[in-house]
Amino acid sequence: MRFTPTWIALIMVRPITLLVYLLAGPQRAAVKGNLTALKPSFGPLRRWWAGYQVFLEFALTYLDRLWHMHFRREVTWDIPYVEHFDALRAIPGGVLIFTIHSGNYDVGATLFTTKLGRALHTVRAPEKSKDMQLLREAELRRTEQENPLLRVHYSIADSHLGLELCRVLRAGEVVAVQGDRVITGVSPVAISHAGCTYKIPRGPLVLAEISSAPCIPIFLERLGCLKYRIHIGDCFYDGRTKIRADDLGKIWIPIMHDYIQQHWDQWFVFEPLVTPKSA
């Protein structure tokens, strides 16, 4: 990437992604299974091609991340609902942001802290290999040194992360959690909506319940090479009324579902997380 022109990299990524798509059997099957529930109108060939489109968007997003983090290339951002962003900045206390695996989480978090002017605590799952984890931690340490407002927490078993994040929220800071992907060791909850049954992590919902922090949905959309849009929704829980975690999930799922329906090719989960309701 240091010596390859951008346009060549953008051409090369397509056959390389196709090769990965053909070799990654379990991940390909998971994405196609999710698409079966999300887009029942897709036939077998259309679903196969749609799975490749998801892999390709993920690859293009990862290229953007590398260009930005390692080669200092600027990312262009579009915030269509500025009034929602201003409303978020005006909240005096802690805020819990719900997002999903869409767009570019790492680059988005860096920009968001700059625009927000407040500390942002993000939660990540550990990488599956030790070498990748060491590489990612080195990248994040450099990012945190350059942007002291960004703080990263790892979701590790028996780490009491929920209690720490609750303390952070009650101290008036901002926490971002991904409310769509269930990983090993995470307690799931199944919620149905619009003909689909989603299996999502219960932790973020419990955190919202016990912290009584207002909850705001934010989604990142890739528009093109190093170009992104931030979708900031209305607050879906004000934090003032008492609500159970499962009931909060029934509010969150329709918001997530509507976005994924429109941007299914940018939902980067490679595990079976959604099934038809009757399944």
PDB file of all heavy atoms in Angstrom, residues 227-260:
ATOM      1  N   LYS A 227     -14.601   8.075   2.409  1.00  0.00           N
ATOM      2  CA  LYS A 227     -15.758   8.938   2.595  1.00  0.00           C
ATOM      3  C   LYS A 227     -16.823   8.188   3.395  1.00  0.00           C
ATOM      4  O   LYS A 227     -17.212   7.077   3.017  1.00  0.00           O
ATOM      5  CB  LYS A 227     -16.342   9.376   1.243  1.00  0.00           C
ATOM      6  CG  LYS A 227     -15.403  10.221   0.400  1.00  0.00           C
ATOM      7  CD  LYS A 227     -16.042  10.590  -0.924  1.00  0.00           C
ATOM      8  CE  LYS A 227     -15.101  11.415  -1.787  1.00  0.00           C
ATOM      9  NZ  LYS A 227     -15.695  11.741  -3.122  1.00  0.00           N
ATOM     10  N   TYR A 228     -17.305   8.811   4.488  1.00  0.00           N
ATOM     11  CA  TYR A 228     -18.253   8.150   5.381  1.00  0.00           C
ATOM     12  C   TYR A 228     -19.359   9.105   5.810  1.00  0.00           C
ATOM     13  O   TYR A 228     -19.204  10.324   5.751  1.00  0.00           O
ATOM     14  CB  TYR A 228     -17.536   7.610   6.624  1.00  0.00           C
ATOM     15  CG  TYR A 228     -16.665   6.411   6.316  1.00  0.00           C
ATOM     16  CD1 TYR A 228     -15.395   6.581   5.780  1.00  0.00           C
ATOM     17  CD2 TYR A 228     -17.128   5.123   6.528  1.00  0.00           C
ATOM     18  CE1 TYR A 228     -14.602   5.493   5.462  1.00  0.00           C
ATOM     19  CE2 TYR A 228     -16.335   4.022   6.225  1.00  0.00           C
ATOM     20  CZ  TYR A 228     -15.080   4.209   5.687  1.00  0.00           C
ATOM     21  OH  TYR A 228     -14.311   3.138   5.369  1.00  0.00           O
ATOM     22  N   ARG A 229     -20.454   8.525   6.236  1.00  0.00           N
ATOM     23  CA  ARG A 229     -21.579   9.300   6.763  1.00  0.00           C
ATOM     24  C   ARG A 229     -21.911   8.775   8.154  1.00  0.00           C
ATOM     25  O   ARG A 229     -21.903   7.568   8.399  1.00  0.00           O
ATOM     26  CB  ARG A 229     -22.796   9.177   5.845  1.00  0.00           C
ATOM     27  CG  ARG A 229     -24.073   9.816   6.394  1.00  0.00           C
ATOM     28  CD  ARG A 229     -25.173   9.781   5.343  1.00  0.00           C
ATOM     29  NE  ARG A 229     -24.819  10.650   4.221  1.00  0.00           N
ATOM     30  CZ  ARG A 229     -25.277  10.477   2.982  1.00  0.00           C
ATOM     31  NH1 ARG A 229     -26.080   9.459   2.702  1.00  0.00           N
ATOM     32  NH2 ARG A 229     -24.927  11.319   2.019  1.00  0.00           N
ATOM     33  N   ILE A 230     -22.220   9.690   9.081  1.00  0.00           N
ATOM     34  CA  ILE A 230     -22.637   9.335  10.432  1.00  0.00           C
ATOM     35  C   ILE A 230     -24.144   9.547  10.544  1.00  0.00           C
ATOM     36  O   ILE A 230     -24.626  10.663  10.371  1.00  0.00           O
ATOM     37  CB  ILE A 230     -21.910  10.182  11.490  1.00  0.00           C
ATOM     38  CG1 ILE A 230     -20.400   9.975  11.414  1.00  0.00           C
ATOM     39  CG2 ILE A 230     -22.396   9.819  12.892  1.00  0.00           C
ATOM     40  CD1 ILE A 230     -19.620  10.786  12.419  1.00  0.00           C
ATOM     41  N   HIS A 231     -24.854   8.466  10.794  1.00  0.00           N
ATOM     42  CA  HIS A 231     -26.297   8.543  11.006  1.00  0.00           C
ATOM     43  C   HIS A 231     -26.550   8.599  12.518  1.00  0.00           C
ATOM     44  O   HIS A 231     -26.278   7.624  13.231  1.00  0.00           O
ATOM     45  CB  HIS A 231     -27.009   7.330  10.419  1.00  0.00           C
ATOM     46  CG  HIS A 231     -26.895   7.223   8.925  1.00  0.00           C
ATOM     47  ND1 HIS A 231     -27.830   7.760   8.073  1.00  0.00           N
ATOM     48  CD2 HIS A 231     -25.945   6.645   8.138  1.00  0.00           C
ATOM     49  CE1 HIS A 231     -27.485   7.507   6.816  1.00  0.00           C
ATOM     50  NE2 HIS A 231     -26.339   6.832   6.832  1.00  0.00           N
ATOM     51  N   ILE A 232     -27.048   9.695  13.006  1.00  0.00           N
ATOM     52  CA  ILE A 232     -27.356   9.865  14.427  1.00  0.00           C
ATOM     53  C   ILE A 232     -28.866   9.904  14.578  1.00  0.00           C
ATOM     54  O   ILE A 232     -29.534  10.794  14.033  1.00  0.00           O
ATOM     55  CB  ILE A 232     -26.733  11.151  14.996  1.00  0.00           C
ATOM     56  CG1 ILE A 232     -25.222  11.167  14.735  1.00  0.00           C
ATOM     57  CG2 ILE A 232     -27.017  11.281  16.485  1.00  0.00           C
ATOM     58  CD1 ILE A 232     -24.542  12.437  15.180  1.00  0.00           C
ATOM     59  N   GLY A 233     -29.414   8.939  15.301  1.00  0.00           N
ATOM     60  CA  GLY A 233     -30.858   8.854  15.478  1.00  0.00           C
ATOM     61  C   GLY A 233     -31.331   9.584  16.721  1.00  0.00           C
ATOM     62  O   GLY A 233     -30.543  10.108  17.516  1.00  0.00           O
ATOM     63  N   ASP A 234     -32.635   9.590  16.893  1.00  0.00           N
ATOM     64  CA  ASP A 234     -33.222  10.178  18.099  1.00  0.00           C
ATOM     65  C   ASP A 234     -32.946   9.295  19.310  1.00  0.00           C
ATOM     66  O   ASP A 234     -32.786   8.074  19.188  1.00  0.00           O
ATOM     67  CB  ASP A 234     -34.744  10.333  17.930  1.00  0.00           C
ATOM     68  CG  ASP A 234     -35.103  11.379  16.880  1.00  0.00           C
ATOM     69  OD1 ASP A 234     -34.439  12.426  16.841  1.00  0.00           O
ATOM     70  OD2 ASP A 234     -36.033  11.123  16.084  1.00  0.00           O
ATOM     71  N   CYS A 235     -32.887   9.902  20.462  1.00  0.00           N
ATOM     72  CA  CYS A 235     -32.726   9.161  21.718  1.00  0.00           C
ATOM     73  C   CYS A 235     -33.890   8.180  21.870  1.00  0.00           C
ATOM     74  O   CYS A 235     -35.054   8.578  21.800  1.00  0.00           O
ATOM     75  CB  CYS A 235     -32.686  10.145  22.885  1.00  0.00           C
ATOM     76  SG  CYS A 235     -32.507   9.360  24.501  1.00  0.00           S
ATOM     77  N   PHE A 236     -33.582   6.879  22.033  1.00  0.00           N
ATOM     78  CA  PHE A 236     -34.664   5.899  22.145  1.00  0.00           C
ATOM     79  C   PHE A 236     -34.919   5.453  23.583  1.00  0.00           C
ATOM     80  O   PHE A 236     -35.814   4.664  23.841  1.00  0.00           O
ATOM     81  CB  PHE A 236     -34.406   4.687  21.237  1.00  0.00           C
ATOM     82  CG  PHE A 236     -33.203   3.849  21.592  1.00  0.00           C
ATOM     83  CD1 PHE A 236     -33.315   2.762  22.444  1.00  0.00           C
ATOM     84  CD2 PHE A 236     -31.958   4.124  21.028  1.00  0.00           C
ATOM     85  CE1 PHE A 236     -32.212   1.978  22.745  1.00  0.00           C
ATOM     86  CE2 PHE A 236     -30.855   3.344  21.326  1.00  0.00           C
ATOM     87  CZ  PHE A 236     -30.986   2.261  22.194  1.00  0.00           C
ATOM     88  N   TYR A 237     -34.130   5.973  24.513  1.00  0.00           N
ATOM     89  CA  TYR A 237     -34.388   5.753  25.941  1.00  0.00           C
ATOM     90  C   TYR A 237     -33.823   6.946  26.686  1.00  0.00           C
ATOM     91  O   TYR A 237     -32.633   7.242  26.588  1.00  0.00           O
ATOM     92  CB  TYR A 237     -33.749   4.444  26.413  1.00  0.00           C
ATOM     93  CG  TYR A 237     -33.807   4.249  27.908  1.00  0.00           C
ATOM     94  CD1 TYR A 237     -35.019   4.351  28.610  1.00  0.00           C
ATOM     95  CD2 TYR A 237     -32.657   3.964  28.641  1.00  0.00           C
ATOM     96  CE1 TYR A 237     -35.067   4.183  29.981  1.00  0.00           C
ATOM     97  CE2 TYR A 237     -32.705   3.778  30.014  1.00  0.00           C
ATOM     98  CZ  TYR A 237     -33.914   3.899  30.678  1.00  0.00           C
ATOM     99  OH  TYR A 237     -33.966   3.734  32.038  1.00  0.00           O
ATOM    100  N   ASP A 238     -34.683   7.636  27.419  1.00  0.00           N
ATOM    101  CA  ASP A 238     -34.252   8.883  28.059  1.00  0.00           C
ATOM    102  C   ASP A 238     -33.501   8.683  29.365  1.00  0.00           C
ATOM    103  O   ASP A 238     -32.930   9.626  29.912  1.00  0.00           O
ATOM    104  CB  ASP A 238     -35.449   9.815  28.279  1.00  0.00           C
ATOM    105  CG  ASP A 238     -36.523   9.190  29.170  1.00  0.00           C
ATOM    106  OD1 ASP A 238     -36.250   8.151  29.818  1.00  0.00           O
ATOM    107  OD2 ASP A 238     -37.644   9.731  29.205  1.00  0.00           O
ATOM    108  N   GLY A 239     -33.520   7.456  29.898  1.00  0.00           N
ATOM    109  CA  GLY A 239     -32.807   7.178  31.137  1.00  0.00           C
ATOM    110  C   GLY A 239     -33.562   7.572  32.394  1.00  0.00           C
ATOM    111  O   GLY A 239     -33.122   7.260  33.502  1.00  0.00           O
ATOM    112  N   ARG A 240     -34.694   8.261  32.229  1.00  0.00           N
ATOM    113  CA  ARG A 240     -35.441   8.715  33.408  1.00  0.00           C
ATOM    114  C   ARG A 240     -36.488   7.711  33.868  1.00  0.00           C
ATOM    115  O   ARG A 240     -36.780   7.620  35.056  1.00  0.00           O
ATOM    116  CB  ARG A 240     -36.117  10.064  33.100  1.00  0.00           C
ATOM    117  CG  ARG A 240     -35.126  11.200  32.882  1.00  0.00           C
ATOM    118  CD  ARG A 240     -35.825  12.544  32.844  1.00  0.00           C
ATOM    119  NE  ARG A 240     -36.707  12.653  31.683  1.00  0.00           N
ATOM    120  CZ  ARG A 240     -36.329  13.165  30.527  1.00  0.00           C
ATOM    121  NH1 ARG A 240     -35.085  13.594  30.356  1.00  0.00           N
ATOM    122  NH2 ARG A 240     -37.185  13.255  29.520  1.00  0.00           N
ATOM    123  N   THR A 241     -37.056   6.960  32.931  1.00  0.00           N
ATOM    124  CA  THR A 241     -38.063   5.964  33.284  1.00  0.00           C
ATOM    125  C   THR A 241     -37.393   4.609  33.485  1.00  0.00           C
ATOM    126  O   THR A 241     -36.440   4.263  32.774  1.00  0.00           O
ATOM    127  CB  THR A 241     -39.127   5.866  32.181  1.00  0.00           C
ATOM    128  OG1 THR A 241     -38.472   5.551  30.938  1.00  0.00           O
ATOM    129  CG2 THR A 241     -39.886   7.173  32.037  1.00  0.00           C
ATOM    130  N   LYS A 242     -37.903   3.851  34.432  1.00  0.00           N
ATOM    131  CA  LYS A 242     -37.331   2.534  34.695  1.00  0.00           C
ATOM    132  C   LYS A 242     -37.806   1.553  33.635  1.00  0.00           C
ATOM    133  O   LYS A 242     -38.995   1.475  33.330  1.00  0.00           O
ATOM    134  CB  LYS A 242     -37.764   2.040  36.086  1.00  0.00           C
ATOM    135  CG  LYS A 242     -37.033   0.789  36.550  1.00  0.00           C
ATOM    136  CD  LYS A 242     -35.543   1.051  36.727  1.00  0.00           C
ATOM    137  CE  LYS A 242     -34.825  -0.206  37.237  1.00  0.00           C
ATOM    138  NZ  LYS A 242     -33.363   0.006  37.329  1.00  0.00           N
ATOM    139  N   ILE A 243     -36.880   0.805  33.050  1.00  0.00           N
ATOM    140  CA  ILE A 243     -37.230  -0.152  32.007  1.00  0.00           C
ATOM    141  C   ILE A 243     -36.331  -1.373  32.113  1.00  0.00           C
ATOM    142  O   ILE A 243     -35.155  -1.263  32.458  1.00  0.00           O
ATOM    143  CB  ILE A 243     -37.109   0.498  30.609  1.00  0.00           C
ATOM    144  CG1 ILE A 243     -37.651  -0.434  29.527  1.00  0.00           C
ATOM    145  CG2 ILE A 243     -35.675   0.904  30.314  1.00  0.00           C
ATOM    146  CD1 ILE A 243     -37.768   0.223  28.164  1.00  0.00           C
ATOM    147  N   ARG A 244     -36.894  -2.537  31.853  1.00  0.00           N
ATOM    148  CA  ARG A 244     -36.132  -3.780  31.914  1.00  0.00           C
ATOM    149  C   ARG A 244     -35.279  -3.921  30.653  1.00  0.00           C
ATOM    150  O   ARG A 244     -35.608  -3.402  29.588  1.00  0.00           O
ATOM    151  CB  ARG A 244     -37.068  -4.969  32.044  1.00  0.00           C
ATOM    152  CG  ARG A 244     -37.835  -5.007  33.357  1.00  0.00           C
ATOM    153  CD  ARG A 244     -38.863  -6.119  33.390  1.00  0.00           C
ATOM    154  NE  ARG A 244     -38.242  -7.429  33.186  1.00  0.00           N
ATOM    155  CZ  ARG A 244     -38.406  -8.172  32.094  1.00  0.00           C
ATOM    156  NH1 ARG A 244     -39.131  -7.721  31.079  1.00  0.00           N
ATOM    157  NH2 ARG A 244     -37.841  -9.347  31.989  1.00  0.00           N
ATOM    158  N   ALA A 245     -34.189  -4.669  30.787  1.00  0.00           N
ATOM    159  CA  ALA A 245     -33.262  -4.845  29.668  1.00  0.00           C
ATOM    160  C   ALA A 245     -33.958  -5.477  28.462  1.00  0.00           C
ATOM    161  O   ALA A 245     -33.771  -5.042  27.324  1.00  0.00           O
ATOM    162  CB  ALA A 245     -32.079  -5.700  30.112  1.00  0.00           C
ATOM    163  N   ASP A 246     -34.772  -6.496  28.694  1.00  0.00           N
ATOM    164  CA  ASP A 246     -35.445  -7.170  27.579  1.00  0.00           C
ATOM    165  C   ASP A 246     -36.413  -6.234  26.863  1.00  0.00           C
ATOM    166  O   ASP A 246     -36.546  -6.287  25.634  1.00  0.00           O
ATOM    167  CB  ASP A 246     -36.182  -8.410  28.080  1.00  0.00           C
ATOM    168  CG  ASP A 246     -35.220  -9.507  28.517  1.00  0.00           C
ATOM    169  OD1 ASP A 246     -34.003  -9.368  28.264  1.00  0.00           O
ATOM    170  OD2 ASP A 246     -35.676 -10.495  29.119  1.00  0.00           O
ATOM    171  N   ASP A 247     -37.090  -5.378  27.606  1.00  0.00           N
ATOM    172  CA  ASP A 247     -38.009  -4.429  26.982  1.00  0.00           C
ATOM    173  C   ASP A 247     -37.243  -3.366  26.195  1.00  0.00           C
ATOM    174  O   ASP A 247     -37.702  -2.903  25.147  1.00  0.00           O
ATOM    175  CB  ASP A 247     -38.887  -3.761  28.047  1.00  0.00           C
ATOM    176  CG  ASP A 247     -39.853  -4.746  28.695  1.00  0.00           C
ATOM    177  OD1 ASP A 247     -40.242  -5.718  28.013  1.00  0.00           O
ATOM    178  OD2 ASP A 247     -40.197  -4.560  29.875  1.00  0.00           O
ATOM    179  N   LEU A 248     -36.076  -2.995  26.693  1.00  0.00           N
ATOM    180  CA  LEU A 248     -35.242  -2.046  25.965  1.00  0.00           C
ATOM    181  C   LEU A 248     -34.764  -2.654  24.647  1.00  0.00           C
ATOM    182  O   LEU A 248     -34.667  -1.971  23.620  1.00  0.00           O
ATOM    183  CB  LEU A 248     -34.049  -1.633  26.823  1.00  0.00           C
ATOM    184  CG  LEU A 248     -33.170  -0.502  26.297  1.00  0.00           C
ATOM    185  CD1 LEU A 248     -33.985   0.770  26.120  1.00  0.00           C
ATOM    186  CD2 LEU A 248     -32.010  -0.247  27.244  1.00  0.00           C
ATOM    187  N   GLY A 249     -34.500  -3.960  24.677  1.00  0.00           N
ATOM    188  CA  GLY A 249     -34.098  -4.648  23.453  1.00  0.00           C
ATOM    189  C   GLY A 249     -35.181  -4.594  22.384  1.00  0.00           C
ATOM    190  O   GLY A 249     -34.890  -4.508  21.190  1.00  0.00           O
ATOM    191  N   LYS A 250     -36.440  -4.624  22.807  1.00  0.00           N
ATOM    192  CA  LYS A 250     -37.546  -4.560  21.850  1.00  0.00           C
ATOM    193  C   LYS A 250     -37.674  -3.178  21.216  1.00  0.00           C
ATOM    194  O   LYS A 250     -38.305  -3.029  20.163  1.00  0.00           O
ATOM    195  CB  LYS A 250     -38.846  -4.942  22.556  1.00  0.00           C
ATOM    196  CG  LYS A 250     -38.867  -6.393  23.039  1.00  0.00           C
ATOM    197  CD  LYS A 250     -40.118  -6.697  23.838  1.00  0.00           C
ATOM    198  CE  LYS A 250     -40.089  -8.119  24.374  1.00  0.00           C
ATOM    199  NZ  LYS A 250     -41.276  -8.424  25.215  1.00  0.00           N
ATOM    200  N   ILE A 251     -37.083  -2.170  21.853  1.00  0.00           N
ATOM    201  CA  ILE A 251     -37.044  -0.826  21.259  1.00  0.00           C
ATOM    202  C   ILE A 251     -35.840  -0.701  20.323  1.00  0.00           C
ATOM    203  O   ILE A 251     -35.924  -0.107  19.246  1.00  0.00           O
ATOM    204  CB  ILE A 251     -36.975   0.252  22.357  1.00  0.00           C
ATOM    205  CG1 ILE A 251     -38.172   0.129  23.302  1.00  0.00           C
ATOM    206  CG2 ILE A 251     -36.932   1.651  21.751  1.00  0.00           C
ATOM    207  CD1 ILE A 251     -38.095   1.056  24.504  1.00  0.00           C
ATOM    208  N   TRP A 252     -34.716  -1.282  20.740  1.00  0.00           N
ATOM    209  CA  TRP A 252     -33.481  -1.182  19.971  1.00  0.00           C
ATOM    210  C   TRP A 252     -33.541  -1.973  18.661  1.00  0.00           C
ATOM    211  O   TRP A 252     -33.093  -1.489  17.611  1.00  0.00           O
ATOM    212  CB  TRP A 252     -32.303  -1.645  20.828  1.00  0.00           C
ATOM    213  CG  TRP A 252     -31.067  -2.046  20.076  1.00  0.00           C
ATOM    214  CD1 TRP A 252     -30.481  -3.273  20.063  1.00  0.00           C
ATOM    215  CD2 TRP A 252     -30.239  -1.221  19.236  1.00  0.00           C
ATOM    216  NE1 TRP A 252     -29.357  -3.283  19.279  1.00  0.00           N
ATOM    217  CE2 TRP A 252     -29.189  -2.022  18.752  1.00  0.00           C
ATOM    218  CE3 TRP A 252     -30.294   0.109  18.847  1.00  0.00           C
ATOM    219  CZ2 TRP A 252     -28.205  -1.547  17.903  1.00  0.00           C
ATOM    220  CZ3 TRP A 252     -29.319   0.597  17.989  1.00  0.00           C
ATOM    221  CH2 TRP A 252     -28.282  -0.223  17.537  1.00  0.00           C
ATOM    222  N   ILE A 253     -34.085  -3.174  18.691  1.00  0.00           N
ATOM    223  CA  ILE A 253     -34.073  -4.051  17.521  1.00  0.00           C
ATOM    224  C   ILE A 253     -34.739  -3.414  16.298  1.00  0.00           C
ATOM    225  O   ILE A 253     -34.181  -3.470  15.188  1.00  0.00           O
ATOM    226  CB  ILE A 253     -34.705  -5.416  17.845  1.00  0.00           C
ATOM    227  CG1 ILE A 253     -33.719  -6.274  18.649  1.00  0.00           C
ATOM    228  CG2 ILE A 253     -35.097  -6.170  16.577  1.00  0.00           C
ATOM    229  CD1 ILE A 253     -32.465  -6.658  17.885  1.00  0.00           C
ATOM    230  N   PRO A 254     -35.918  -2.795  16.391  1.00  0.00           N
ATOM    231  CA  PRO A 254     -36.496  -2.163  15.195  1.00  0.00           C
ATOM    232  C   PRO A 254     -35.599  -1.078  14.590  1.00  0.00           C
ATOM    233  O   PRO A 254     -35.558  -0.919  13.366  1.00  0.00           O
ATOM    234  CB  PRO A 254     -37.815  -1.571  15.718  1.00  0.00           C
ATOM    235  CG  PRO A 254     -38.163  -2.406  16.897  1.00  0.00           C
ATOM    236  CD  PRO A 254     -36.851  -2.751  17.532  1.00  0.00           C
ATOM    237  N   ILE A 255     -34.890  -0.334  15.443  1.00  0.00           N
ATOM    238  CA  ILE A 255     -33.985   0.713  14.944  1.00  0.00           C
ATOM    239  C   ILE A 255     -32.831   0.072  14.165  1.00  0.00           C
ATOM    240  O   ILE A 255     -32.497   0.496  13.054  1.00  0.00           O
ATOM    241  CB  ILE A 255     -33.450   1.553  16.116  1.00  0.00           C
ATOM    242  CG1 ILE A 255     -34.601   2.256  16.838  1.00  0.00           C
ATOM    243  CG2 ILE A 255     -32.413   2.562  15.637  1.00  0.00           C
ATOM    244  CD1 ILE A 255     -34.198   2.928  18.130  1.00  0.00           C
ATOM    245  N   MET A 256     -32.241  -0.960  14.753  1.00  0.00           N
ATOM    246  CA  MET A 256     -31.149  -1.668  14.094  1.00  0.00           C
ATOM    247  C   MET A 256     -31.629  -2.346  12.817  1.00  0.00           C
ATOM    248  O   MET A 256     -30.969  -2.289  11.770  1.00  0.00           O
ATOM    249  CB  MET A 256     -30.547  -2.699  15.051  1.00  0.00           C
ATOM    250  CG  MET A 256     -29.351  -3.443  14.499  1.00  0.00           C
ATOM    251  SD  MET A 256     -28.645  -4.649  15.663  1.00  0.00           S
ATOM    252  CE  MET A 256     -29.748  -6.044  15.372  1.00  0.00           C
ATOM    253  N   HIS A 257     -32.788  -2.971  12.879  1.00  0.00           N
ATOM    254  CA  HIS A 257     -33.339  -3.696  11.732  1.00  0.00           C
ATOM    255  C   HIS A 257     -33.565  -2.757  10.540  1.00  0.00           C
ATOM    256  O   HIS A 257     -33.221  -3.092   9.402  1.00  0.00           O
ATOM    257  CB  HIS A 257     -34.656  -4.366  12.131  1.00  0.00           C
ATOM    258  CG  HIS A 257     -35.373  -5.014  10.992  1.00  0.00           C
ATOM    259  ND1 HIS A 257     -35.055  -6.279  10.546  1.00  0.00           N
ATOM    260  CD2 HIS A 257     -36.397  -4.573  10.194  1.00  0.00           C
ATOM    261  CE1 HIS A 257     -35.847  -6.588   9.523  1.00  0.00           C
ATOM    262  NE2 HIS A 257     -36.663  -5.575   9.290  1.00  0.00           N
ATOM    263  N   ASP A 258     -34.142  -1.590  10.803  1.00  0.00           N
ATOM    264  CA  ASP A 258     -34.424  -0.646   9.717  1.00  0.00           C
ATOM    265  C   ASP A 258     -33.142  -0.213   9.010  1.00  0.00           C
ATOM    266  O   ASP A 258     -33.109  -0.094   7.777  1.00  0.00           O
ATOM    267  CB  ASP A 258     -35.164   0.574  10.263  1.00  0.00           C
ATOM    268  CG  ASP A 258     -36.597   0.261  10.650  1.00  0.00           C
ATOM    269  OD1 ASP A 258     -37.088  -0.838  10.294  1.00  0.00           O
ATOM    270  OD2 ASP A 258     -37.225   1.102  11.333  1.00  0.00           O
ATOM    271  N   TYR A 259     -32.082   0.016   9.796  1.00  0.00           N
ATOM    272  CA  TYR A 259     -30.824   0.428   9.178  1.00  0.00           C
ATOM    273  C   TYR A 259     -30.217  -0.721   8.361  1.00  0.00           C
ATOM    274  O   TYR A 259     -29.761  -0.519   7.224  1.00  0.00           O
ATOM    275  CB  TYR A 259     -29.824   0.906  10.232  1.00  0.00           C
ATOM    276  CG  TYR A 259     -28.534   1.380   9.615  1.00  0.00           C
ATOM    277  CD1 TYR A 259     -28.423   2.672   9.101  1.00  0.00           C
ATOM    278  CD2 TYR A 259     -27.434   0.533   9.495  1.00  0.00           C
ATOM    279  CE1 TYR A 259     -27.257   3.109   8.500  1.00  0.00           C
ATOM    280  CE2 TYR A 259     -26.261   0.956   8.894  1.00  0.00           C
ATOM    281  CZ  TYR A 259     -26.177   2.243   8.395  1.00  0.00           C
ATOM    282  OH  TYR A 259     -25.016   2.655   7.795  1.00  0.00           O
ATOM    283  N   ILE A 260     -30.223  -1.923   8.933  1.00  0.00           N
ATOM    284  CA  ILE A 260     -29.622  -3.067   8.240  1.00  0.00           C
ATOM    285  C   ILE A 260     -30.390  -3.392   6.967  1.00  0.00           C
ATOM    286  O   ILE A 260     -29.799  -3.791   5.953  1.00  0.00           O
ATOM    287  CB  ILE A 260     -29.559  -4.282   9.179  1.00  0.00           C
ATOM    288  CG1 ILE A 260     -28.570  -4.019  10.320  1.00  0.00           C
ATOM    289  CG2 ILE A 260     -29.133  -5.538   8.420  1.00  0.00           C
ATOM    290  CD1 ILE A 260     -28.565  -5.094  11.387  1.00  0.00           C
TER     291      ILE A 260
END
